[in-house]
Amino acid sequence: MANPFINGSYAEFSQLDSMTIVDPSNGEEVDTVPASGAAEVDQAVRSAYDAFPAWRNIPAAKRGEILGKAAHAVMAATEELAPMLTAEQGKPLREARLEIRRFVHTLEHYVGLAKSIRGGYVPDLDVDTYGLIVRRPLGVIGAIVPWNFPTTLLGNKLGPALITGNVVVAKPADTTPLTTLRIAEIMHEAGLPAGVFNVVTGTGEGAGQALAEHPLVRKIAFTGSTPTGKKLMAIASNDLKRTTLELGGSDPMIVCDDANLDKAASAASVGRFFNAGQACLAIKRVFVFESVADEFIEKLAVKVKKLRVGPGTAEGVMLGPLHSPRQRDLLEEQVQSAVDSGAEVLHGAKRPEGNGISKRGNFYEPTLLVEPSHDSRVATEEVFGPALPVWRVGNMEEALQLANGTEFGLGSSIWTADLNRASDAAEKIEAGYTWINSPQIVYDELPFGGWKQSGYGKEHGIEALDYYTETKSVVVKRAV
Ligand code: NAD
């Protein structure tokens, strides 16, 4: 059994029920973890709370040095961590390695910002009076993370929280706690003081909710679905906890008649099918101008048909299993809704046949759908799996109206050779991130966060530091 990591060591909770972690590619048990409840969460929160004063008082540059060493140790353990991530999450080993690297790079980004945490000075507020704007950490951060990118999404919270002097209790998803637990141990062994970063295991309603409700937790940093985000916002309102909510998305991609169709098709294929389509930020709806639609769809179909499906550990696999039977069932219902509404299926829309992998794992073929109705579920809901719907549009106005026609506002992309047209569309598209002629890559340097029901608050960029600190205004009279 893998136990919660609290105050610098694994805590034994043998009296608790255990939860089984399953390999999505074959249904076999990988490990078990205890289903922590309020008492265990309390132990973790108190250990973080006790560690806070000492961690906060370490000079920022020194905190950066400690965090940098811890990040380096995680990088050095990539070949141990990546197979662990593949086993619990399902993604191809190549993507698991990329995810560990991404986690490290994000921490390094914040190490680089250690000396940029600063406030302000306002002279001459009054006679012999000046003002200081002081920026201080919040305290215990409750970081609640989903299963699709367990490590990347942890790094997005851990980096800004720790560099600004906060302490963290993380609650990974019920089904993907193993890599996170081992990362906490590695970071501690590399010099992160006990209690600064703790990990509790358990369900959302159990450990997750107990963490969100704990009175010593000052901020909930959450990534997950929009319904859970709304619940957490309500819980946070009880004692006015700070929140950052990174929620669902249904990113539109607009392909104009003057776009580079090869590059756009390539970006659509990677952007939709990476991580078996289980990404918040993924191209989930394509709107292509009528005059180039057939050519674009043909290029895209060639790419989709080449995506090899199989277990994440197999050589050359590009599409692993879906994370759980539940995810596959939901995807099947959404695709069926598209087919029933009249969509043409250019590829997939079924489980792979022939090699028997579907009997043991949650596999699904990469699916390309053309012209489902605009009220089918692939148009109105978030599709969290390898299915991409494409619609033909007459012009930019129609594309923008459809693109903006959902409750979501996370990412978006526009493909055109005309930068005037692109920048005008980028102004009008309702999303926290817009890529122009670029694959949807998230950069540590730029703030990331959703509009509308895709969330609230920012991660990445120097802006993330603001979400992990409070300002205090200090007025000083020079003459006593
Ligand atoms: P989820 O909301 O079901 O679970 C996310 C986390 O919240 C898990 O750790 C879960 O245990 C916990 N949780 C669930 N109920 C809780 C409760 N009542 N109280 C406290 N914690 C609770 O989401 P999911 O299905 O695991 O993840 C997929 C969703 O995450 C998708 O909607 C996806 O778009 C979104 N997502 C968003 C981003 C982003 O940055 N915007 C990134 C990745 C995923």
Side-chain angles (χ1 to χ4, degrees):
M1 177 176 289
N3 282 305
F5 194 80
I6 299 178
N7 205 25
S9 63
Y10 289 110
E12 296 265 341
F13 295 122
S14 49
Q15 77 284 5
L16 297 177
D17 289 344
S18 70
M19 305 187 328
T20 305
I21 309 304
V22 172
D23 182 334
S25 72
N26 56 25
E28 286 171 13
E29 177 178 322
V30 179
D31 207 337
T32 58
V33 292
S36 315
E40 297 73 35
V41 167
D42 182 59
Q43 193 175 318
V45 171
R46 284 184 191 282
S47 106
Y49 186 75
D50 291 345
F52 177 52
W55 179 247
R56 175 187 52 194
N57 287 336
I58 294 175
K62 176 74 185 160
R63 276 201 303 267
E65 200 183 310
I66 297 170
L67 192 57
K69 279 191 186 142
H72 188 78
V74 173
M75 186 71 115
T78 303
E79 288 312 310
E80 176 198 349
L81 293 167
M84 201 181 260
L85 184 53
T86 291
E88 64 178 341
Q89 203 283 336
K91 64 186 65 196
L93 207 46
R94 186 182 51 86
E95 291 186 20
R97 287 195 187 99
L98 274 178
E99 183 167 348
I100 303 297
R101 213 173 300 154
R102 183 99 184 85
F103 172 83
V104 172
H105 288 162
T106 296
L107 294 193
E108 285 171 346
H109 165 71
Y110 290 103
V111 169
L113 291 177
K115 293 180 183 171
S116 306
I117 306 163
R118 57 189 59 176
Y121 167 73
V122 184
D124 306 326
L125 281 176
D126 206 334
V127 178
D128 283 335
T129 308
Y130 63 91
L132 297 175
I133 303 161
V134 181
R135 202 164 261 293
R136 299 306 289 152
L138 302 169
V140 182
I141 309 296
I144 303 179
V145 180
W147 48 262
N148 57 337
F149 291 99
T151 312
T152 304
L153 300 171
L154 171 72
N156 294 354
K157 295 154 187 60
L158 205 57
L162 295 188
I163 204 65
T164 45
N166 298 281
V167 288
V168 172
V169 177
K171 210 296 281 174
D174 329 14
T175 49
T176 53
L178 302 175
T179 318
T180 307
L181 288 167
R182 180 69 183 121
I183 283 178
E185 186 184 25
I186 291 170
M187 291 179 75
H188 175 63
E189 284 167 356
L192 199 64
V196 168
F197 170 34
N198 310 272
V199 181
V200 291
T201 56
T203 63
E205 294 72 22
Q209 197 154 324
L211 183 59
E213 286 171 346
H214 200 293
L216 293 180
V217 170
R218 294 290 304 280
K219 166 174 176 146
I220 305 167
F222 173 74
T223 299
S225 63
T226 299
T228 308
K230 288 180 185 174
K231 271 191 213 162
L232 290 175
M233 200 156 181
I235 291 174
S237 74
N238 290 331
D239 45 9
L240 293 180
K241 285 186 172 71
R242 306 300 180 254
T243 53
T244 304
L245 304 174
E246 297 292 352
L247 311 178
S250 186
D251 299 355
M253 175 193 207
I254 299 174
V255 183
C256 300
D257 45 7
D258 57 352
N260 181 323
L261 298 184
D262 288 309
K263 288 187 179 168
S266 181
S269 174
V270 176
R272 170 70 282 198
F273 297 102
F274 189 77
N275 204 30
Q278 302 164 116
C280 58
L281 199 76
I283 292 167
K284 293 180 182 153
R285 297 173 296 143
V286 175
F287 302 106
V288 54
F289 279 33
E290 184 74 60
S291 60
V292 292
D294 289 345
E295 194 185 344
F296 173 77
I297 291 167
E298 206 180 305
K299 287 177 189 291
L300 182 55
V302 169
K303 293 191 180 297
V304 173
K305 286 174 188 168
K306 280 191 191 151
L307 295 169
R308 206 179 127 211
V309 183
T313 47
E315 199 60 40
V317 158
M318 288 138 108
L319 207 75
L322 284 149
H323 182 59
S324 64
R326 192 176 133 242
Q327 284 303 126
R328 183 169 62 177
D329 290 350
L330 173 60
L331 178 70
E332 282 180 330
E333 287 169 19
Q334 290 171 321
V335 169
Q336 192 57 50
S337 151
V339 172
D340 292 346
S341 80
E344 184 187 352
V345 177
L346 288 196
H347 190 67
K350 59 181 170 57
R351 301 176 184 194
E353 291 155 4
N355 57 7
I357 55 173
S358 292
K359 289 202 180 69
R360 298 186 337 124
N362 317 313
F363 294 95
Y364 197 76
E365 284 193 1
T367 297
L368 188 55
L369 303 161
V370 178
E371 298 283 347
S373 85
H374 287 296
D375 59 2
S376 68
R377 291 179 64 182
V378 293
T380 58
E381 296 176 4
E382 179 180 34
V383 176
F384 221 58
L388 182 57
V390 180
W391 289 272
R392 296 179 172 90
V393 289
N395 52 41
M396 183 62 91
E397 200 183 356
E398 188 191 353
L400 285 172
Q401 196 185 4
L402 289 166
N404 289 337
T406 73
E407 70 201 39
F408 299 109
L410 196 57
S412 55
S413 52
I414 299 161
W415 289 78
T416 170
D418 179 347
L419 283 182
N420 285 336
R421 173 149 80 170
S423 57
D424 183 56
E427 287 288 329
K428 292 177 178 154
I429 209 157
E430 296 166 353
Y433 223 121
T434 299
W435 286 263
I436 297 173
N437 298 323
S438 163
Q440 295 206 162
I441 297 167
V442 173
Y443 291 95
D444 283 321
E445 296 88 331
L446 300 177
F448 167 77
W451 287 11
K452 295 155 76 177
Q453 296 198 32
S454 288
Y456 179 82
K458 301 291 168 196
E459 293 185 335
H460 301 290
I462 196 161
E463 289 76 3
L465 301 181
D466 295 349
Y467 290 87
Y468 286 86
T469 49
E470 301 249 47
T471 59
K472 174 204 282 284
S473 295
V474 179
V475 176
V476 183
K477 273 271 180 212
R478 239 188 296 263
V480 206

